[in-house]
């Protein structure tokens, strides 16, 4: 007999897979999930963000992804995800509940769905992880000429590598042991010409993503108080 | 003017407001949300001793503005950047007229910038002419995420925007300050994308495009454009304030900017009244890139600090700088190779 607490834990675990597309971190780690309530097969999830004016497109993606992640649990029949304290809460919550997509949630204001936006940020994250892994190799003496030859299968396990592989799968890029570490947005190997500039830009991208994540965490704390009432069982 | 260890710094605060965020002026929940968002920025990044109450934050009296900027804040010249937000605030949040009222009383202290919105069409062009004449404009602030009825924003590359930029050129408004915001049509794209800056910077080489907040949260995209467009500048509003609680991140921002641009295209701003210049100036003069990051980013010299704190903005706005506060090294001629020219060449040819 599964207890309600276990069901709740399952919901939290499902939400661990939902990322803030811009920050490339799970919404649970970021403490954007303020509440999970389970009533037999009905689940309610509340999300809140660092500011009232966080970009509505990213907010929509998180609400929709949270909805889908929880709905995939075999015992769940009904999911309600509510975004709180946001200028577009009403449109986003209604849009996700209706399942009509982003364009329909903002009539006349959007020109299509959010897949392109998601791809843009997956590419940024992928670039940043490539740089992180490449940087470790460069520090241990690998030259640029060798670096373009490195394949994923040659690399020691690391968190950055796991994340890089996951982003590649999401982007439909090669992620097997024979895939080069350094590929461009289309999956083509990166030539050694222009590599140092490419890596330099990738590092700027990483600084930017990490910096934004820190800023968002800080603003969330300011808005809701440190630890601001997220109620994950067993963690707080 | 700020003096430390025998060095004098000329201070231009390039981004300030005289705003009215009081509940009486909030037109709706969006106005309230906007002010509270700013207040959270203020509370999150200010040193403990500098945090105001919500009421103090809503609006500042003329006396308080003069005190914070000039009596204790070391500022020699402050540049008003208007933010109209007339959909959120009954009389506007911080209009050219509001700012101008103060500037007229203290002409030696303030520079007033204007604002325009391409969605105002032909009528707006006439209004811009009148505004330019009334305030002798040398600069304008643009807020692309401004709501206007059904519209939730605009792009610098909109056809009417080009008409306005041509008008700026004609009127001698050389400095175009750009602020990106979270909502812009179409909502399914990244509102913070700075690609439109690239296009207009190429199309209007005579104008300077100062991207406020150095493109944050898209620092990388901003740097990429600024390294290729010599008339793109980075305004440090918001970025400055990371110095106190997040010095390592601040070092990264400054380090990245110095790498991709150079020290001649970065300008100091407090974003008053979100933060006050006193602590920002004091801390920046004392600031240094942490030792373990110096291999990557180098160090901040006195001259670099002088340029960022005032000399660069003084050049943009033709402000006279006393001889003893100029940089020790001669001013670099425009079009000089950027610091990271070797790498930048590689970037430019790819």
């Amino acid at each position: 007999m599964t207890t309600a607490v276990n069901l709740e834990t399952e919901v939290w675990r499902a939400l661990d897979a939902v990322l803030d597309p811009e920050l490339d971190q799970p919404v649970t780690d970021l403490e954007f999930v303020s509440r999970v309530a389970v009533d037999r097969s009905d689940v309610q999830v509340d999300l809140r963000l660092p500011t009232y004016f966080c970009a509505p497109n990213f907010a929509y993606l998180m609400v929709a992804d949270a909805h889908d992640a929880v709905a995939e649990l075999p015992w769940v029949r009904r999911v309600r995800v509510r975004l709180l304290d946001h200028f577009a809460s009403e449109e986003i919550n209604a849009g996700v509940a209706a399942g009509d997509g982003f364009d329909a949630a903002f009539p006349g204001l959007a020109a299509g769905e959010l897949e392109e936006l998601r791809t843009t940020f997956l590419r940024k994250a992928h670039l940043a992880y490539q740089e992180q892994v490449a940087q470790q190799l460069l520090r241990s003496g690998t030259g640029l000429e060798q670096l373009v030859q490195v394949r994923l299968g040659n690399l020691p396990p690391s968190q950055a590598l796991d994340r890089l592989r996951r982003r590649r799968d999401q982007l439909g890029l090669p992620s097997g042991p024979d895939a080069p570490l350094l590929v461009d947005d289309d999956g083509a190997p990166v030539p050694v010409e222009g590599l140092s500039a490419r890596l330099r830009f990738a590092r700027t991208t990483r600084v930017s993503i990490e910096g934004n994540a820190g800023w968002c965490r800080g603003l969330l704390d300011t808005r809701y108080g440190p630890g601001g009432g997220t109620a994950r069982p067993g963690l707080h | 003017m700020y003096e430390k260890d025998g060095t004098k710094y000329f201070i231009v605060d390039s981004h300030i407001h005289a705003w009215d965020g009081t509940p009486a002026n909030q037109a709706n929940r969006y106005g309230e949300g906007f002010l509270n968002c700013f207040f959270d920025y203020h509370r999150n990044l200010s040193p403990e001793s500098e945090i105001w109450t919500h009421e103090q934050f809503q609006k500042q009296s003329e006396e308080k503005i003069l005190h914070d900027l000039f009596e204790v804040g070391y500022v020699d010249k402050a540049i008003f950047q208007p933010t109209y937000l007339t959909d959120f605030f009954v009389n506007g949040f911080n209009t050219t007229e509001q700012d101008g009222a103060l500037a007229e009383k203290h002409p030696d202290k303030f520079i007033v910038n204007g604002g325009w919105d391409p969605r105002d069409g032909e009528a707006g062009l006439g209004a811009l002419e009148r505004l330019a004449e009334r305030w002798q404009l040398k600069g304008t602030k643009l807020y692309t995420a401004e709501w206007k009825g059904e519209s939730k924003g605009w792009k610098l590359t909109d056809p009417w925007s080009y008409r306005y930029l041509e008008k700026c050129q004609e009127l001698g408004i050389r400095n175009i300050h750009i602020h990106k915001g979270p909502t812009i049509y179409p909502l399914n794209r990244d509102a913070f994308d700075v690609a439109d800056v690239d296009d207009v910077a190429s199309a209007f080489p005579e104008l300077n495009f100062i991207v406020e907040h150095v493109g944050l949260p898209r620092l990388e995209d901003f740097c990429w454009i600024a390294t290729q467009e010599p008339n793109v500048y980075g305004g440090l509003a918001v970025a400055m304030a990371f110095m106190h609680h997040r010095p390592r991140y601040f070092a990264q921002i400054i380090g990245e900017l110095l790498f991709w641009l150079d020290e001649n295209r970065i300008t100091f701003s407090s974003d008053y009244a979100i933060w006050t210049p006193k602590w920002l100036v004091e801390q920046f003069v004392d600031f240094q890139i942490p030792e373990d990051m110096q291999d990557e980013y180098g160090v901040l010299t006195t001259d670099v600090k002088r340029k960022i704190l005032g000399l660069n903005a003084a050049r943009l706005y033709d402000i006279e700088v006393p001889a003893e506060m100029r940089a020790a090294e001669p001013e670099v001629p425009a079009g000089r190779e950027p610091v990271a020219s070797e790498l930048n060449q590689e970037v430019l040819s790819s």
Side-chain angles (χ1 to χ4, degrees), chain B residues 11 29 38 78 90-91 93 100 152 159 176 207 215 278 290 301 347:
Chain B
I11 310 294
R29 65 185 174 94
F38 274 16
V90 180
N91 304 312
F93 183 57
K152 299 289 181 259
I176 314 293
L207 299 176
K278 182 177 189 290
T301 62
V347 169

Side-chain angles (χ1 to χ4, degrees), chain B residues 148-344:
Chain B
K148 208 178 253 302
E150 289 298 297
S151 165
K152 299 289 181 259
W154 56 278
K155 277 198 161 52
L156 291 160
T157 45
D158 291 348
W160 272 101
S161 166
Y162 278 85
R163 295 276 308 274
Y164 279 77
L165 289 166
E166 280 160 14
K167 179 63 73 179
C168 283
Q169 198 148 288
E170 195 184 301
L171 297 167
I173 303 173
R174 287 196 321 263
N175 301 311
I176 314 293
H177 294 253
I178 299 150
H179 174 168
K180 297 271 165 179
T183 62
I184 195 161
Y185 178 84
L187 283 183
N188 47 304
R189 302 276 158 73
D190 178 20
F192 296 105
D193 181 15
V194 281
D196 55 342
V197 178
D198 201 2
D199 292 336
V200 292
S202 302
F204 295 92
E206 310 285 296
L207 299 176
N208 305 309
F209 293 88
I210 302 99
V211 178
E212 293 301 338
H213 322 303
V214 293
L216 293 172
R218 302 286 172 267
L219 180 68
E220 74 282 21
D221 295 340
F222 167 72
C223 288
W224 185 254
I225 287 165
T227 201
Q228 296 167 76
E229 305 290 347
N231 55 335
V232 168
Y233 289 68
L236 284 172
V238 176
M240 263 338 275
F242 286 112
M243 203 164 32
H244 182 71
H245 286 298
R246 300 186 56 209
R248 291 183 67 82
Y249 177 49
F250 178 71
Q252 284 179 314
I253 295 177
I254 289 286
E256 293 292 337
L257 291 172
L258 291 172
F259 176 85
W260 291 105
L261 289 71
D262 59 55
E263 75 269 22
N264 301 297
R265 289 194 281 144
I266 308 172
T267 57
F268 165 74
S269 314
S270 67
D271 221 338
Y272 186 85
I274 306 183
W275 298 284
T276 47
K278 182 177 189 290
W279 69 268
L280 292 169
V281 170
E282 287 170 357
Q283 287 195 21
F284 186 63
V285 166
D286 291 343
F287 188 83
Q288 193 47 273
I289 305 280
E291 231 164 278
D292 62 303
M293 295 165 92
Q294 289 180 1
D295 280 352
E296 195 177 341
Y297 292 129
V299 293
L300 300 180
T301 62
T302 300
D303 271 1
V304 166
K305 290 175 183 176
R306 276 178 152 174
K307 288 175 176 183
I308 291 174
L309 283 171
L311 303 182
N312 293 339
R315 203 172 62 243
L316 290 175
Y317 282 88
D318 303 321
I319 302 164
E320 184 65 34
V321 178
E324 81 242 69
M325 299 182 212
R326 292 176 197 160
E329 294 160 22
E331 275 294 331
V332 276
R336 189 200 74 151
E337 290 282 295
V339 169
S341 55
E342 192 184 327
L343 262 170
N344 285 346

